[in-house]
Amino acid sequence: LALRRASAVDALTNPIRDDLITRGISAEKIIVAPCSFTDTSECDPALEKQPWVVFLARFVDIKNPLLLAYAIPKILKHCPGTHFFFLGEGPLQPQIETVVQQFAVTDDVTLRFEPQPIEVLNQSSVFVSLQTEENYPSQSLLEAMACGNAIVATDVGETWRLVDRQNGIRIPPTKEALADAIIQLLNDPDLSQKQQVSRERVLSEHTPERFFQHIMRVYQQAIAGAAK
């Protein structure tokens, strides 16, 4: 009821806008944010990136960390020396540990909660965002991009707003597709260019200034509506 009476409604994504419309909110009231933003002050990509692949999220089903765990053997077969970081915590941690042990890849995996993930992201080469419903606008994904990582992400929701062929690969949620995409990026002679595109996309398009301008438009519409 409150939303229906509002003069302006801020929607983070177009799917949220569409859902609000189905709930009876007038489309004319809804303003979709043109971007998101994150703190990039400590994002400083290393000059020589390491062959590291990073998953950074809660270890829960919707984040899908097991998808990466199951892809590790194939990746190592084609890209020996790759190291995998699972940075987080959650109920799926025992299952991840079991898979890693079964594949005998314990030495190739770091699994821990990391209070300062930027230190890893600045050195890593590839970041994976494997959510089942939406990767946009994941703060971890934005941080990884600002730290100069090429991206592999599940092709869901509005993930396309952050990830395309210029900076990574969008995939269906299968271990084969994930492994193939990571192998392709690690062997890509233009990997550093994709990493740079990731960083520039965040620094130029997903900025606090642009988001604040959006919020000001929302406020101005709300004020104008209240004055009627």
Side-chain angles (χ1 to χ4, degrees):
L1 180 60
L3 286 176
R4 292 177 182 175
R5 295 174 60 186
S7 301
V9 178
D10 173 27
L12 188 58
T13 67
N14 284 295
I16 292 175
R17 175 186 182 274
D18 294 342
D19 179 67
L20 290 172
I21 292 173
T22 65
R23 296 170 183 264
I25 310 303
S26 171
E28 295 179 355
K29 296 181 179 181
I30 305 170
I31 305 175
V32 178
C35 67
S36 185
F37 68 93
T38 192
D39 181 4
T40 62
S41 60
E42 296 184 13
C43 297
D44 185 18
L47 293 178
E48 293 188 12
K49 287 281 195 172
Q50 301 298 317
W52 295 353
V53 176
V54 178
F55 174 96
L56 171 60
R58 285 270 298 160
F59 300 153
V60 293
D61 287 333
I62 196 171
K63 305 292 186 179
N64 215 0
L66 285 166
L67 193 64
L68 177 60
Y70 284 116
I72 289 175
K74 183 175 182 179
I75 298 169
L76 287 175
K77 180 180 179 180
H78 294 273
C79 301
T82 304
H83 195 84
F84 302 86
F85 288 82
F86 291 81
L87 303 181
E89 57 187 359
L92 292 182
Q93 181 165 338
Q95 295 183 50
I96 299 170
E97 293 171 342
T98 297
V99 172
V100 168
Q101 292 168 3
Q102 288 177 342
F103 287 146
V105 294
T106 304
D107 292 342
D108 304 293
V109 174
T110 297
L111 192 157
R112 67 171 186 258
F113 174 76
E114 176 54 64
Q116 298 294 334
I118 296 295
E119 297 176 4
V120 176
L121 294 175
N122 278 330
Q123 299 184 67
S124 57
S125 292
V126 176
F127 182 84
V128 298
S129 189
L130 306 174
Q131 297 195 50
T132 60
E133 298 179 3
E134 179 65 86
N135 293 299
Y136 176 85
S138 162
Q139 292 295 294
S140 296
L141 177 51
L142 287 168
E143 289 175 354
M145 290 173 61
C147 289
N149 283 264
I151 307 299
V152 178
T154 42
D155 193 8
V156 294
E158 292 192 318
T159 301
W160 55 267
R161 294 179 68 175
L162 291 175
V163 183
D164 57 29
R165 285 183 292 181
Q166 291 185 305
N167 73 321
I169 302 172
R170 299 197 305 272
I171 61 166
T174 69
K175 66 178 182 181
E176 292 82 7
L178 175 58
D180 290 344
I182 292 173
I183 292 166
Q184 180 178 333
L185 287 176
L186 290 175
N187 289 323
D188 190 340
D190 295 324
L191 176 59
S192 62
Q193 182 177 343
K194 288 180 170 60
Q195 294 167 337
Q196 184 62 28
V197 170
S198 276
R199 177 169 170 79
E200 291 177 353
R201 185 165 293 171
V202 174
L203 297 183
S204 64
E205 299 179 19
H206 296 272
T207 65
E209 293 79 11
R210 190 179 181 201
F211 190 83
F212 293 160
Q213 289 174 0
H214 156 71
I215 291 297
M216 289 301 297
R217 288 195 296 270
V218 175
Y219 289 162
Q220 289 166 358
Q221 180 170 313
I223 294 170
K228 293 181 180 179

